[in-house]
């Protein structure tokens, strides 16, 4: 019940956004119930494909050429283009045709539509401004920026605004730049024969590197696989996903190196602790104390068991039962009566 309520609210939200953005496929539709909006957005139909096509062409206007090349209503080709576009935006898999057709779960369809609608431009000026006007406006902004007298002050401030970690990184880059400049000056002063030798060495190393890269490229099948091949599910990584993973890895390595230089270096350079000779004595004392503790626990358990056995015997002795001659007596009373009677030969002789 909670999932259907959330889907209905999301359907209303996406439908209202499409109407506010002026989607031609929802103009003239006066839907008031959430179920009708959900059926429009999550049921397979040409109307739904037209909505997706309008969203994709609004995000990327160059997609209009791909759709205009389709002759007549060709839903299969239209679905392939939409799947390829959503895959390039990392919103679905390359073979996720059910999601575009509208066969998958409504939750996935609404999540895809919400992500696509969020990318759309919000106002008409942003959506309808020609490219030439944008270029002119950006050029005017750059001219104003570079002609400002405060530009050099911004680039070279007297008070460095960077934090300590960034300052250390910038100082390292400056030192590396200075060392490269001095190395280039030294290379200029070298004689021509040494220059030729160094040039040959660099050329050989570049050739070796290029050969190694070509071998690696041959091993990576997914880099030269055809992304336009449809109908087959590709289990390999796509180049956009690989680029995204490499960028994430680079950012993580950069963040870790800065954190290591600022916080962890002083702790990592410490020497390992040395064990003392008295450690064995402490270990022996600990084992002896543990054995003594176990013996004391055993003695304590023995005393507890003895007390319990004594109380059980006393209870049996004091308990009154029918023994003989119809008298109820305890074991202690029976013992007293038995030993207080005279022997039988005394009674016979008497």
């Amino acid at each position: 019940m909670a999932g259907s309520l959330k889907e209905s609210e999301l359907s209303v939200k996406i439908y209202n956004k499409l109407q506010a953005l002026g989607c031609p496929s929802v103009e003239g539709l006066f839907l008031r119930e959430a179920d009708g909006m959900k059926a429009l957005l999550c049921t397979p139909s040409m109307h739904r494909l037209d909505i997706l096509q309008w969203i994709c062409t609004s995000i990327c206007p160059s997609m209009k050429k791909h759709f205009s090349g389709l002759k007549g209503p060709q839903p299969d080709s239209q679905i392939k283009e939409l799947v390829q576009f959503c895959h390039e935006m990392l919103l679905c898999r390359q073979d996720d045709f059910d999601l575009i057709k509208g066969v998958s779960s409504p939750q996935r369809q609404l999540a895809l539509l919400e992500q696509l609608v969020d990318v759309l431009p919000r106002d008409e000026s942003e959506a309808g401004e020609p490219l030439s006007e944008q270029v002119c406006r950006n050029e005017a902004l750059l001219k104003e920026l570079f002609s400002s007298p405060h530009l050099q002050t911004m680039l070279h401030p007297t008070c460095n605004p960077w934090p300590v970690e960034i300052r250390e990184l910038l100082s390292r880059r400056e030192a590396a730049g200075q060392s490269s400049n001095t190395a280039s000056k030294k290379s200029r002063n070298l004689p021509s024969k040494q220059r030729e030798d160094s040039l040959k060495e660099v050329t050989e190393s570049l050739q070796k590197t290029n050969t190694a890269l070509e071998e690696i490229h041959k091993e990576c099948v997914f880099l030269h696989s055809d992304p336009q091949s449809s109908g087959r599910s590709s289990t390999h990584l796509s180049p956009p996903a690989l680029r995204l993973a490499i960028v994430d890895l680079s950012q993580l390595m950069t963040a870790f190196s800065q954190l290591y230089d600022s916080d962890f270096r002083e702790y990592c350079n410490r020497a390992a602790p040395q064990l003392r000779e008295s450690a064995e004595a402490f270990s022996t004392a600990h084992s002896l104390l543990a054995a003594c503790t176990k013996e004391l626990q055993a003695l304590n358990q023995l005393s507890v068991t003895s007390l319990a056995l004594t109380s059980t015997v006393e209870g049996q002795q004091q308990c009154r039962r029918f023994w003989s001659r119809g008298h109820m007596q305890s074991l202690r009373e029976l013992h007293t009566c038995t030993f207080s009677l005279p022997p039988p030969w005394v009674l016979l002789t008497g």
Side-chain angles (χ1 to χ4, degrees):
M1 184 66 183
S4 61
L5 181 61
K6 185 177 180 180
E7 291 174 1
S8 301
E9 293 177 355
L10 192 56
S11 303
V12 174
K13 179 182 176 182
I14 295 171
Y15 180 79
N16 293 333
K17 281 186 178 180
L18 290 174
Q19 280 196 334
L21 293 170
C23 178
S25 300
V26 297
E27 289 183 357
L29 298 178
F30 301 98
L31 300 178
R32 299 185 180 275
E33 297 182 357
D35 294 337
M37 300 175 187
K38 181 180 177 181
L40 173 66
L41 299 175
C42 302
T43 304
S45 63
M46 288 299 299
H47 201 173
R48 180 179 175 278
L49 290 178
D50 292 339
I51 293 174
L52 285 173
Q53 178 178 339
W54 178 83
I55 295 174
C56 294
T57 52
S58 300
I59 296 173
C60 181
S62 61
M63 289 290 295
K64 294 180 180 179
K65 297 180 181 179
H66 297 275
F67 292 110
S68 61
L70 301 177
K71 297 180 180 180
Q74 298 182 6
D76 294 336
S77 302
Q78 190 177 7
I79 289 171
K80 290 178 184 178
E81 294 292 339
L82 292 172
V83 169
Q84 183 64 26
F85 177 77
C86 295
H87 173 66
E88 291 176 356
M89 293 188 67
L90 302 177
L91 296 177
C92 69
R93 299 190 303 272
Q94 194 172 1
D95 58 344
D96 207 349
F97 296 98
D98 293 339
L99 181 61
I100 304 301
K101 289 179 182 178
V103 183
S104 60
S105 61
Q107 187 176 2
R108 289 192 63 204
Q109 298 184 51
L110 293 174
L112 175 66
L113 287 171
E114 185 182 16
Q115 290 175 334
L116 288 173
V117 170
D118 289 339
V119 183
L120 287 172
R122 288 294 179 268
D123 51 355
E124 296 181 357
S125 61
E126 184 181 355
E129 185 178 6
L131 182 61
S132 58
E133 295 183 3
Q134 294 182 8
V135 171
C136 294
R137 182 162 54 83
N138 293 333
E139 287 180 355
L141 180 61
L142 289 175
K143 287 180 181 178
E144 182 181 358
L145 177 62
F146 285 107
S147 62
S148 174
H150 305 289
L151 179 62
Q152 296 299 327
T153 307
M154 293 171 59
L155 295 177
H156 304 284
T158 55
C159 180
N160 198 341
W162 299 111
V164 181
E165 296 83 0
I166 306 299
R167 289 179 193 173
E168 184 178 358
L169 182 61
L170 293 176
S171 61
R172 289 183 180 179
R173 289 186 178 179
E174 290 178 0
Q178 292 177 1
S179 62
S180 62
N181 291 332
T182 55
S184 62
K185 289 179 182 179
K186 289 180 180 179
S187 63
R188 291 174 185 173
N189 297 328
L190 290 175
S192 59
K193 187 177 181 180
Q194 293 183 1
R195 289 182 184 177
E196 291 178 359
D197 295 339
S198 62
L199 184 61
K200 288 180 181 178
E201 292 178 359
V202 172
T203 305
E204 291 177 357
S205 64
L206 286 175
Q207 288 178 355
K208 292 179 181 178
T209 306
N210 192 15
T211 306
L213 287 174
E214 288 179 356
E215 293 177 357
I216 294 173
H217 188 270
K218 290 178 182 179
E219 294 178 0
C220 300
V221 185
F222 56 88
L223 291 177
H224 46 79
S225 60
D226 188 9
Q228 300 293 336
S229 60
S230 59
R232 294 182 300 174
S233 60
S234 177
T235 57
H236 302 291
L237 289 174
S238 61
L242 184 61
R243 294 191 195 100
L244 181 62
I246 292 172
V247 170
D248 291 343
L249 180 61
S250 176
Q251 292 178 356
L252 289 173
M253 292 175 66
T254 304
F256 176 76
S257 61
Q258 293 178 2
L259 188 62
Y260 173 77
D261 293 335
S262 59
D263 296 333
F264 292 159
R265 184 184 293 276
E266 57 180 350
Y267 299 101
C268 295
N269 292 334
R270 292 182 177 179
Q274 297 181 356
L275 297 177
R276 298 183 179 179
E277 298 178 355
S278 58
E280 297 181 359
F282 281 108
S283 177
T284 305
H286 179 268
S287 61
L288 292 175
L289 288 174
C292 181
T293 303
K294 289 182 179 179
E295 291 181 1
L296 291 175
Q297 289 177 354
L299 291 174
N300 185 27
Q301 187 66 31
L302 181 60
S303 62
V304 171
T305 306
S306 177
L307 290 174
L309 185 60
T310 303
S311 62
T312 303
V313 171
E314 289 180 354
Q316 290 291 334
Q317 290 179 356
Q318 294 176 3
C319 182
R320 298 174 64 86
R321 297 181 182 179
F322 291 98
W323 294 99
S324 62
R325 300 177 183 177
H327 297 288
M328 179 179 285
Q329 293 176 340
S330 63
L331 186 61
R332 184 174 296 176
E333 293 175 352
L334 181 62
H335 177 75
T336 304
C337 292
T338 303
F339 283 94
S340 62
L341 292 174
W345 59 85
V346 174
L347 295 174
L348 292 174
T349 54

